[in-house]
Amino acid sequence: MSIPPAALAAAHRARAIATIARTRAAKPTPVLADAGRTALWKIAELLDAAAHALETEPATINNGDLHYPADAWLSLQAAEVVALAHPGIGIPRTLGQYVTAALYPHDKAQSEVDLPLSLLPRTVKAIVREADLFSRLLGLHGALRFVTDQATTTLVLEDVFRLHWQHARLADSLAASGGQTPHPAAVEIPTPATTNQLRRAHDELGPTLTYELKSASLSCFSPVHPQPHTAVRMVSHRGVTIPTCDEHRDAAAYTAQELYDTLD
């Protein structure tokens, strides 16, 4: 029975991540609750099971598509469920993608790994911190598409999961600070034709306003996504404006307020 090299590469990734999980669970630091350490051990166990299936059960090819063993798929799915239930352990919900990407080295779409969901932070410092983590993750995801030897793959995965741990710590930090201060209410207004119209709207309606952009040439202020978001509206806090997409409207309101405060 011949096991495809891609399946063996995926098995190596599964075992490498299992080792990362066990190492994290065994260390006295980082500080984790007992439930978190138990979750890490369980994820490692499931990843070992997925690796064993990939190494011993033949993959099938239908219409040119590689289908890896069902036992491996089930183990990866179960590991992702555990990771999703314990976000504080720093193992992402995209766990399985890091393994299965190796099965499709020549298919860019199949070998992509998603970034974690954005925390949608509302302070400039936290936005910049998350953007830095996402930028570094993107670079490592790109590296994973090209490395072939096991030693380098292991090193890259260790760096990847270190960044996921830091993102989990950022989430904990934001939660500890009250989840983030309630965002300033942004009153919807018709798109002003002039700065004087915007100034009058602020005088009449309040400090933070939002309105539709008539031009789609601007990008969203938030750099936390792998692809630039098109700004479809503007948020203004007393005249300090931030172009944003709908998803980042609240964060833009915070940022506009913070920028205004720095001008005092």
Side-chain angles (χ1 to χ4, degrees), residues 43-92:
I43 287 171
E45 177 186 319
L46 289 165
L47 286 169
D48 280 343
H52 179 74
L54 287 163
E55 291 167 339
T56 59
E57 298 179 23
T60 59
I61 299 178
N62 293 327
N63 297 322
D65 294 328
L66 178 66
H67 298 275
Y68 56 99
D71 287 345
W73 184 87
L74 291 172
S75 294
L76 291 175
Q77 290 290 304
E80 288 184 340
V81 169
V82 177
L84 187 61
H86 299 273
I89 64 177
I91 302 294

mmCIF file of all heavy atoms in Angstrom, residues 43-92:
data_model
loop_
_atom_site.group_PDB
_atom_site.id
_atom_site.type_symbol
_atom_site.label_atom_id
_atom_site.label_comp_id
_atom_site.label_asym_id
_atom_site.label_seq_id
_atom_site.Cartn_x
_atom_site.Cartn_y
_atom_site.Cartn_z
ATOM 1 N N ILE A 43 -6.776 17.604 22.322
ATOM 2 C CA ILE A 43 -6.461 17.993 20.946
ATOM 3 C C ILE A 43 -5.237 17.229 20.446
ATOM 4 O O ILE A 43 -5.212 16.739 19.300
ATOM 5 C CB ILE A 43 -6.231 19.515 20.872
ATOM 6 C CG1 ILE A 43 -7.572 20.253 21.007
ATOM 7 C CG2 ILE A 43 -5.534 19.908 19.571
ATOM 8 C CD1 ILE A 43 -7.430 21.745 21.160
ATOM 9 N N ALA A 44 -4.223 17.107 21.286
ATOM 10 C CA ALA A 44 -3.021 16.368 20.893
ATOM 11 C C ALA A 44 -3.349 14.912 20.576
ATOM 12 O O ALA A 44 -2.866 14.338 19.584
ATOM 13 C CB ALA A 44 -1.973 16.450 22.007
ATOM 14 N N GLU A 45 -4.188 14.311 21.391
ATOM 15 C CA GLU A 45 -4.599 12.924 21.177
ATOM 16 C C GLU A 45 -5.333 12.770 19.841
ATOM 17 O O GLU A 45 -5.087 11.827 19.075
ATOM 18 C CB GLU A 45 -5.497 12.490 22.333
ATOM 19 C CG GLU A 45 -6.066 11.099 22.226
ATOM 20 C CD GLU A 45 -7.052 10.807 23.346
ATOM 21 O OE1 GLU A 45 -6.778 11.196 24.505
ATOM 22 O OE2 GLU A 45 -8.117 10.210 23.060
ATOM 23 N N LEU A 46 -6.225 13.699 19.552
ATOM 24 C CA LEU A 46 -6.986 13.642 18.292
ATOM 25 C C LEU A 46 -6.083 13.881 17.087
ATOM 26 O O LEU A 46 -6.257 13.259 16.036
ATOM 27 C CB LEU A 46 -8.113 14.673 18.330
ATOM 28 C CG LEU A 46 -9.262 14.332 19.287
ATOM 29 C CD1 LEU A 46 -10.139 15.560 19.542
ATOM 30 C CD2 LEU A 46 -10.106 13.184 18.721
ATOM 31 N N LEU A 47 -5.109 14.759 17.232
ATOM 32 C CA LEU A 47 -4.175 15.007 16.132
ATOM 33 C C LEU A 47 -3.297 13.788 15.868
ATOM 34 O O LEU A 47 -2.977 13.470 14.713
ATOM 35 C CB LEU A 47 -3.318 16.229 16.446
ATOM 36 C CG LEU A 47 -4.032 17.574 16.321
ATOM 37 C CD1 LEU A 47 -3.180 18.688 16.900
ATOM 38 C CD2 LEU A 47 -4.375 17.873 14.871
ATOM 39 N N ASP A 48 -2.887 13.102 16.917
ATOM 40 C CA ASP A 48 -2.128 11.870 16.726
ATOM 41 C C ASP A 48 -2.964 10.833 15.981
ATOM 42 O O ASP A 48 -2.452 10.102 15.119
ATOM 43 C CB ASP A 48 -1.692 11.312 18.080
ATOM 44 C CG ASP A 48 -0.465 12.014 18.641
ATOM 45 O OD1 ASP A 48 0.233 12.698 17.867
ATOM 46 O OD2 ASP A 48 -0.211 11.889 19.850
ATOM 47 N N ALA A 49 -4.251 10.780 16.310
ATOM 48 C CA ALA A 49 -5.137 9.833 15.612
ATOM 49 C C ALA A 49 -5.270 10.201 14.140
ATOM 50 O O ALA A 49 -5.264 9.327 13.260
ATOM 51 C CB ALA A 49 -6.517 9.815 16.280
ATOM 52 N N ALA A 50 -5.376 11.502 13.857
ATOM 53 C CA ALA A 50 -5.456 11.943 12.461
ATOM 54 C C ALA A 50 -4.170 11.603 11.718
ATOM 55 O O ALA A 50 -4.204 11.137 10.561
ATOM 56 C CB ALA A 50 -5.717 13.445 12.416
ATOM 57 N N ALA A 51 -3.023 11.817 12.366
ATOM 58 C CA ALA A 51 -1.737 11.508 11.733
ATOM 59 C C ALA A 51 -1.632 10.014 11.437
ATOM 60 O O ALA A 51 -1.169 9.615 10.351
ATOM 61 C CB ALA A 51 -0.599 11.958 12.645
ATOM 62 N N HIS A 52 -2.050 9.193 12.379
ATOM 63 C CA HIS A 52 -1.984 7.739 12.166
ATOM 64 C C HIS A 52 -2.833 7.329 10.967
ATOM 65 O O HIS A 52 -2.403 6.503 10.142
ATOM 66 C CB HIS A 52 -2.473 7.016 13.431
ATOM 67 C CG HIS A 52 -2.475 5.520 13.297
ATOM 68 N ND1 HIS A 52 -1.319 4.765 13.312
ATOM 69 C CD2 HIS A 52 -3.514 4.636 13.118
ATOM 70 C CE1 HIS A 52 -1.635 3.486 13.159
ATOM 71 N NE2 HIS A 52 -2.951 3.380 13.034
ATOM 72 N N ALA A 53 -4.020 7.900 10.857
ATOM 73 C CA ALA A 53 -4.881 7.568 9.718
ATOM 74 C C ALA A 53 -4.243 8.003 8.405
ATOM 75 O O ALA A 53 -4.280 7.270 7.407
ATOM 76 C CB ALA A 53 -6.240 8.231 9.893
ATOM 77 N N LEU A 54 -3.658 9.190 8.402
ATOM 78 C CA LEU A 54 -3.022 9.687 7.178
ATOM 79 C C LEU A 54 -1.823 8.826 6.771
ATOM 80 O O LEU A 54 -1.531 8.667 5.582
ATOM 81 C CB LEU A 54 -2.570 11.132 7.382
ATOM 82 C CG LEU A 54 -3.680 12.177 7.421
ATOM 83 C CD1 LEU A 54 -3.181 13.485 8.035
ATOM 84 C CD2 LEU A 54 -4.225 12.439 6.013
ATOM 85 N N GLU A 55 -1.134 8.276 7.763
ATOM 86 C CA GLU A 55 0.061 7.472 7.487
ATOM 87 C C GLU A 55 -0.257 6.029 7.105
ATOM 88 O O GLU A 55 0.576 5.352 6.479
ATOM 89 C CB GLU A 55 0.960 7.454 8.728
ATOM 90 C CG GLU A 55 1.607 8.797 9.032
ATOM 91 C CD GLU A 55 2.221 8.831 10.426
ATOM 92 O OE1 GLU A 55 1.818 8.004 11.289
ATOM 93 O OE2 GLU A 55 3.095 9.669 10.664
ATOM 94 N N THR A 56 -1.437 5.560 7.468
ATOM 95 C CA THR A 56 -1.717 4.125 7.299
ATOM 96 C C THR A 56 -2.895 3.809 6.392
ATOM 97 O O THR A 56 -2.988 2.683 5.881
ATOM 98 C CB THR A 56 -1.978 3.471 8.673
ATOM 99 O OG1 THR A 56 -3.098 4.113 9.299
ATOM 100 C CG2 THR A 56 -0.756 3.598 9.567
ATOM 101 N N GLU A 57 -3.798 4.756 6.225
ATOM 102 C CA GLU A 57 -4.977 4.488 5.401
ATOM 103 C C GLU A 57 -4.802 5.150 4.037
ATOM 104 O O GLU A 57 -4.421 6.316 3.963
ATOM 105 C CB GLU A 57 -6.239 5.018 6.080
ATOM 106 C CG GLU A 57 -6.528 4.360 7.419
ATOM 107 C CD GLU A 57 -7.777 4.918 8.070
ATOM 108 O OE1 GLU A 57 -8.636 5.464 7.339
ATOM 109 O OE2 GLU A 57 -7.892 4.823 9.307
ATOM 110 N N PRO A 58 -5.084 4.434 2.969
ATOM 111 C CA PRO A 58 -4.860 5.009 1.633
ATOM 112 C C PRO A 58 -5.834 6.146 1.325
ATOM 113 O O PRO A 58 -7.024 6.069 1.637
ATOM 114 C CB PRO A 58 -5.095 3.831 0.691
ATOM 115 C CG PRO A 58 -5.998 2.905 1.454
ATOM 116 C CD PRO A 58 -5.614 3.058 2.905
ATOM 117 N N ALA A 59 -5.287 7.217 0.764
ATOM 118 C CA ALA A 59 -6.138 8.288 0.247
ATOM 119 C C ALA A 59 -6.691 7.842 -1.099
ATOM 120 O O ALA A 59 -6.117 6.990 -1.773
ATOM 121 C CB ALA A 59 -5.330 9.572 0.106
ATOM 122 N N THR A 60 -7.808 8.375 -1.491
ATOM 123 C CA THR A 60 -8.398 8.044 -2.783
ATOM 124 C C THR A 60 -8.398 9.271 -3.676
ATOM 125 O O THR A 60 -8.442 10.410 -3.202
ATOM 126 C CB THR A 60 -9.840 7.533 -2.615
ATOM 127 O OG1 THR A 60 -10.621 8.549 -1.966
ATOM 128 C CG2 THR A 60 -9.862 6.272 -1.772
ATOM 129 N N ILE A 61 -8.345 9.020 -4.970
ATOM 130 C CA ILE A 61 -8.351 10.110 -5.946
ATOM 131 C C ILE A 61 -9.526 9.903 -6.881
ATOM 132 O O ILE A 61 -9.624 8.878 -7.569
ATOM 133 C CB ILE A 61 -7.035 10.163 -6.736
ATOM 134 C CG1 ILE A 61 -5.854 10.405 -5.788
ATOM 135 C CG2 ILE A 61 -7.103 11.255 -7.804
ATOM 136 C CD1 ILE A 61 -4.506 10.418 -6.476
ATOM 137 N N ASN A 62 -10.451 10.839 -6.878
ATOM 138 C CA ASN A 62 -11.622 10.795 -7.756
ATOM 139 C C ASN A 62 -11.646 12.050 -8.615
ATOM 140 O O ASN A 62 -11.627 13.161 -8.086
ATOM 141 C CB ASN A 62 -12.917 10.711 -6.935
ATOM 142 C CG ASN A 62 -13.029 9.393 -6.187
ATOM 143 O OD1 ASN A 62 -12.569 8.371 -6.665
ATOM 144 N ND2 ASN A 62 -13.631 9.430 -5.000
ATOM 145 N N ASN A 63 -11.681 11.867 -9.927
ATOM 146 C CA ASN A 63 -11.702 12.993 -10.861
ATOM 147 C C ASN A 63 -10.548 13.963 -10.600
ATOM 148 O O ASN A 63 -10.692 15.167 -10.708
ATOM 149 C CB ASN A 63 -13.031 13.742 -10.760
ATOM 150 C CG ASN A 63 -14.206 12.870 -11.163
ATOM 151 O OD1 ASN A 63 -14.093 12.070 -12.094
ATOM 152 N ND2 ASN A 63 -15.320 13.017 -10.470
ATOM 153 N N GLY A 64 -9.408 13.389 -10.219
ATOM 154 C CA GLY A 64 -8.229 14.211 -9.991
ATOM 155 C C GLY A 64 -8.171 14.852 -8.620
ATOM 156 O O GLY A 64 -7.192 15.511 -8.278
ATOM 157 N N ASP A 65 -9.208 14.681 -7.792
ATOM 158 C CA ASP A 65 -9.238 15.268 -6.453
ATOM 159 C C ASP A 65 -8.805 14.243 -5.417
ATOM 160 O O ASP A 65 -9.255 13.091 -5.434
ATOM 161 C CB ASP A 65 -10.643 15.766 -6.112
ATOM 162 C CG ASP A 65 -11.073 16.920 -6.997
ATOM 163 O OD1 ASP A 65 -10.199 17.700 -7.404
ATOM 164 O OD2 ASP A 65 -12.282 17.024 -7.279
ATOM 165 N N LEU A 66 -7.943 14.693 -4.497
ATOM 166 C CA LEU A 66 -7.463 13.827 -3.432
ATOM 167 C C LEU A 66 -8.453 13.840 -2.270
ATOM 168 O O LEU A 66 -8.872 14.897 -1.812
ATOM 169 C CB LEU A 66 -6.095 14.306 -2.941
ATOM 170 C CG LEU A 66 -5.475 13.529 -1.776
ATOM 171 C CD1 LEU A 66 -5.127 12.105 -2.211
ATOM 172 C CD2 LEU A 66 -4.227 14.247 -1.267
ATOM 173 N N HIS A 67 -8.844 12.663 -1.813
ATOM 174 C CA HIS A 67 -9.737 12.553 -0.661
ATOM 175 C C HIS A 67 -8.991 11.790 0.435
ATOM 176 O O HIS A 67 -8.649 10.625 0.264
ATOM 177 C CB HIS A 67 -11.023 11.812 -1.050
ATOM 178 C CG HIS A 67 -11.809 12.511 -2.102
ATOM 179 N ND1 HIS A 67 -12.716 13.510 -1.828
ATOM 180 C CD2 HIS A 67 -11.804 12.368 -3.455
ATOM 181 C CE1 HIS A 67 -13.247 13.946 -2.956
ATOM 182 N NE2 HIS A 67 -12.717 13.275 -3.957
ATOM 183 N N TYR A 68 -8.741 12.465 1.537
ATOM 184 C CA TYR A 68 -7.968 11.822 2.594
ATOM 185 C C TYR A 68 -8.885 10.969 3.458
ATOM 186 O O TYR A 68 -10.117 11.085 3.404
ATOM 187 C CB TYR A 68 -7.188 12.850 3.407
ATOM 188 C CG TYR A 68 -7.982 13.967 4.038
ATOM 189 C CD1 TYR A 68 -8.351 13.917 5.372
ATOM 190 C CD2 TYR A 68 -8.323 15.103 3.308
ATOM 191 C CE1 TYR A 68 -9.048 14.948 5.964
ATOM 192 C CE2 TYR A 68 -9.029 16.142 3.891
ATOM 193 C CZ TYR A 68 -9.385 16.056 5.224
ATOM 194 O OH TYR A 68 -10.078 17.078 5.803
ATOM 195 N N PRO A 69 -8.309 10.081 4.277
ATOM 196 C CA PRO A 69 -9.113 9.095 5.001
ATOM 197 C C PRO A 69 -10.173 9.723 5.900
ATOM 198 O O PRO A 69 -9.941 10.749 6.546
ATOM 199 C CB PRO A 69 -8.068 8.347 5.836
ATOM 200 C CG PRO A 69 -6.784 8.540 5.100
ATOM 201 C CD PRO A 69 -6.863 9.895 4.485
ATOM 202 N N ALA A 70 -11.315 9.063 5.959
ATOM 203 C CA ALA A 70 -12.422 9.572 6.774
ATOM 204 C C ALA A 70 -12.037 9.643 8.250
ATOM 205 O O ALA A 70 -12.444 10.560 8.965
ATOM 206 C CB ALA A 70 -13.652 8.682 6.592
ATOM 207 N N ASP A 71 -11.238 8.689 8.720
ATOM 208 C CA ASP A 71 -10.829 8.699 10.127
ATOM 209 C C ASP A 71 -10.014 9.956 10.443
ATOM 210 O O ASP A 71 -10.136 10.524 11.530
ATOM 211 C CB ASP A 71 -9.999 7.456 10.453
ATOM 212 C CG ASP A 71 -10.861 6.197 10.526
ATOM 213 O OD1 ASP A 71 -12.096 6.336 10.613
ATOM 214 O OD2 ASP A 71 -10.293 5.095 10.493
ATOM 215 N N ALA A 72 -9.191 10.385 9.505
ATOM 216 C CA ALA A 72 -8.405 11.600 9.718
ATOM 217 C C ALA A 72 -9.324 12.814 9.761
ATOM 218 O O ALA A 72 -9.168 13.704 10.615
ATOM 219 C CB ALA A 72 -7.373 11.767 8.603
ATOM 220 N N TRP A 73 -10.270 12.857 8.855
ATOM 221 C CA TRP A 73 -11.218 13.980 8.809
ATOM 222 C C TRP A 73 -12.001 14.069 10.111
ATOM 223 O O TRP A 73 -12.159 15.155 10.678
ATOM 224 C CB TRP A 73 -12.160 13.795 7.624
ATOM 225 C CG TRP A 73 -13.115 14.927 7.425
ATOM 226 C CD1 TRP A 73 -12.896 16.071 6.720
ATOM 227 C CD2 TRP A 73 -14.446 15.017 7.937
ATOM 228 N NE1 TRP A 73 -14.011 16.884 6.767
ATOM 229 C CE2 TRP A 73 -14.975 16.261 7.513
ATOM 230 C CE3 TRP A 73 -15.242 14.185 8.704
ATOM 231 C CZ2 TRP A 73 -16.257 16.678 7.839
ATOM 232 C CZ3 TRP A 73 -16.524 14.596 9.041
ATOM 233 C CH2 TRP A 73 -17.020 15.838 8.599
ATOM 234 N N LEU A 74 -12.490 12.945 10.605
ATOM 235 C CA LEU A 74 -13.282 12.945 11.833
ATOM 236 C C LEU A 74 -12.452 13.400 13.034
ATOM 237 O O LEU A 74 -12.930 14.155 13.891
ATOM 238 C CB LEU A 74 -13.857 11.547 12.087
ATOM 239 C CG LEU A 74 -14.943 11.083 11.105
ATOM 240 C CD1 LEU A 74 -15.278 9.616 11.336
ATOM 241 C CD2 LEU A 74 -16.200 11.947 11.242
ATOM 242 N N SER A 75 -11.201 12.970 13.095
ATOM 243 C CA SER A 75 -10.336 13.366 14.203
ATOM 244 C C SER A 75 -10.030 14.857 14.155
ATOM 245 O O SER A 75 -10.027 15.539 15.197
ATOM 246 C CB SER A 75 -9.031 12.564 14.167
ATOM 247 O OG SER A 75 -9.274 11.192 14.405
ATOM 248 N N LEU A 76 -9.793 15.381 12.968
ATOM 249 C CA LEU A 76 -9.525 16.816 12.838
ATOM 250 C C LEU A 76 -10.760 17.635 13.201
ATOM 251 O O LEU A 76 -10.647 18.678 13.871
ATOM 252 C CB LEU A 76 -9.074 17.145 11.415
ATOM 253 C CG LEU A 76 -7.697 16.620 11.004
ATOM 254 C CD1 LEU A 76 -7.432 16.912 9.535
ATOM 255 C CD2 LEU A 76 -6.602 17.224 11.873
ATOM 256 N N GLN A 77 -11.927 17.176 12.767
ATOM 257 C CA GLN A 77 -13.156 17.876 13.117
ATOM 258 C C GLN A 77 -13.372 17.897 14.627
ATOM 259 O O GLN A 77 -13.747 18.920 15.206
ATOM 260 C CB GLN A 77 -14.357 17.205 12.436
ATOM 261 C CG GLN A 77 -14.405 17.397 10.928
ATOM 262 C CD GLN A 77 -14.715 18.834 10.537
ATOM 263 O OE1 GLN A 77 -15.727 19.380 10.957
ATOM 264 N NE2 GLN A 77 -13.838 19.430 9.760
ATOM 265 N N ALA A 78 -13.111 16.771 15.275
ATOM 266 C CA ALA A 78 -13.278 16.699 16.728
ATOM 267 C C ALA A 78 -12.289 17.626 17.430
ATOM 268 O O ALA A 78 -12.633 18.288 18.422
ATOM 269 C CB ALA A 78 -13.078 15.259 17.200
ATOM 270 N N ALA A 79 -11.051 17.698 16.930
ATOM 271 C CA ALA A 79 -10.049 18.590 17.527
ATOM 272 C C ALA A 79 -10.476 20.043 17.389
ATOM 273 O O ALA A 79 -10.282 20.854 18.315
ATOM 274 C CB ALA A 79 -8.693 18.363 16.860
ATOM 275 N N GLU A 80 -11.059 20.393 16.253
ATOM 276 C CA GLU A 80 -11.519 21.769 16.049
ATOM 277 C C GLU A 80 -12.665 22.111 17.003
ATOM 278 O O GLU A 80 -12.754 23.244 17.485
ATOM 279 C CB GLU A 80 -11.951 21.976 14.598
ATOM 280 C CG GLU A 80 -10.785 22.001 13.624
ATOM 281 C CD GLU A 80 -11.225 22.294 12.203
ATOM 282 O OE1 GLU A 80 -12.436 22.106 11.898
ATOM 283 O OE2 GLU A 80 -10.379 22.698 11.390
ATOM 284 N N VAL A 81 -13.533 21.149 17.271
ATOM 285 C CA VAL A 81 -14.637 21.383 18.212
ATOM 286 C C VAL A 81 -14.080 21.692 19.601
ATOM 287 O O VAL A 81 -14.545 22.613 20.291
ATOM 288 C CB VAL A 81 -15.576 20.157 18.261
ATOM 289 C CG1 VAL A 81 -16.556 20.268 19.424
ATOM 290 C CG2 VAL A 81 -16.343 20.022 16.946
ATOM 291 N N VAL A 82 -13.058 20.951 20.024
ATOM 292 C CA VAL A 82 -12.447 21.195 21.335
ATOM 293 C C VAL A 82 -11.790 22.577 21.359
ATOM 294 O O VAL A 82 -11.943 23.337 22.323
ATOM 295 C CB VAL A 82 -11.415 20.102 21.666
ATOM 296 C CG1 VAL A 82 -10.719 20.413 23.000
ATOM 297 C CG2 VAL A 82 -12.073 18.725 21.725
ATOM 298 N N ALA A 83 -11.072 22.914 20.292
ATOM 299 C CA ALA A 83 -10.401 24.215 20.233
ATOM 300 C C ALA A 83 -11.414 25.353 20.280
ATOM 301 O O ALA A 83 -11.204 26.365 20.968
ATOM 302 C CB ALA A 83 -9.551 24.312 18.966
ATOM 303 N N LEU A 84 -12.516 25.199 19.568
ATOM 304 C CA LEU A 84 -13.542 26.236 19.535
ATOM 305 C C LEU A 84 -14.172 26.430 20.910
ATOM 306 O O LEU A 84 -14.523 27.554 21.294
ATOM 307 C CB LEU A 84 -14.613 25.870 18.504
ATOM 308 C CG LEU A 84 -15.683 26.919 18.201
ATOM 309 C CD1 LEU A 84 -15.050 28.189 17.639
ATOM 310 C CD2 LEU A 84 -16.703 26.370 17.220
ATOM 311 N N ALA A 85 -14.294 25.347 21.665
ATOM 312 C CA ALA A 85 -14.913 25.428 22.997
ATOM 313 C C ALA A 85 -13.977 26.018 24.045
ATOM 314 O O ALA A 85 -14.424 26.419 25.121
ATOM 315 C CB ALA A 85 -15.363 24.037 23.445
ATOM 316 N N HIS A 86 -12.679 26.097 23.711
ATOM 317 C CA HIS A 86 -11.690 26.605 24.672
ATOM 318 C C HIS A 86 -10.790 27.634 23.988
ATOM 319 O O HIS A 86 -9.592 27.395 23.785
ATOM 320 C CB HIS A 86 -10.848 25.452 25.223
ATOM 321 C CG HIS A 86 -11.638 24.425 25.964
ATOM 322 N ND1 HIS A 86 -11.922 24.519 27.311
ATOM 323 C CD2 HIS A 86 -12.230 23.276 25.540
ATOM 324 C CE1 HIS A 86 -12.642 23.477 27.692
ATOM 325 N NE2 HIS A 86 -12.855 22.708 26.639
ATOM 326 N N PRO A 87 -11.316 28.794 23.618
ATOM 327 C CA PRO A 87 -10.515 29.782 22.884
ATOM 328 C C PRO A 87 -9.303 30.283 23.656
ATOM 329 O O PRO A 87 -8.324 30.723 23.059
ATOM 330 C CB PRO A 87 -11.519 30.906 22.613
ATOM 331 C CG PRO A 87 -12.586 30.735 23.656
ATOM 332 C CD PRO A 87 -12.687 29.264 23.875
ATOM 333 N N GLY A 88 -9.339 30.197 24.978
ATOM 334 C CA GLY A 88 -8.235 30.711 25.781
ATOM 335 C C GLY A 88 -6.955 29.922 25.683
ATOM 336 O O GLY A 88 -5.906 30.386 26.150
ATOM 337 N N ILE A 89 -6.980 28.723 25.094
ATOM 338 C CA ILE A 89 -5.769 27.908 25.014
ATOM 339 C C ILE A 89 -4.896 28.303 23.826
ATOM 340 O O ILE A 89 -3.778 27.800 23.685
ATOM 341 C CB ILE A 89 -6.104 26.405 24.950
ATOM 342 C CG1 ILE A 89 -6.869 26.069 23.663
ATOM 343 C CG2 ILE A 89 -6.881 25.980 26.186
ATOM 344 C CD1 ILE A 89 -7.178 24.589 23.495
ATOM 345 N N GLY A 90 -5.406 29.164 22.961
ATOM 346 C CA GLY A 90 -4.597 29.655 21.855
ATOM 347 C C GLY A 90 -4.434 28.686 20.703
ATOM 348 O O GLY A 90 -3.505 28.818 19.904
ATOM 349 N N ILE A 91 -5.308 27.700 20.608
ATOM 350 C CA ILE A 91 -5.332 26.792 19.449
ATOM 351 C C ILE A 91 -6.510 27.221 18.587
ATOM 352 O O ILE A 91 -7.653 27.207 19.054
ATOM 353 C CB ILE A 91 -5.490 25.323 19.874
ATOM 354 C CG1 ILE A 91 -4.356 24.910 20.813
ATOM 355 C CG2 ILE A 91 -5.537 24.419 18.645
ATOM 356 C CD1 ILE A 91 -2.978 24.892 20.184
ATOM 357 N N PRO A 92 -6.269 27.604 17.337
ATOM 358 C CA PRO A 92 -7.344 28.232 16.558
ATOM 359 C C PRO A 92 -8.396 27.255 16.077
ATOM 360 O O PRO A 92 -8.155 26.049 15.955
ATOM 361 C CB PRO A 92 -6.586 28.838 15.372
ATOM 362 C CG PRO A 92 -5.419 27.918 15.193
ATOM 363 C CD PRO A 92 -5.012 27.512 16.589
#
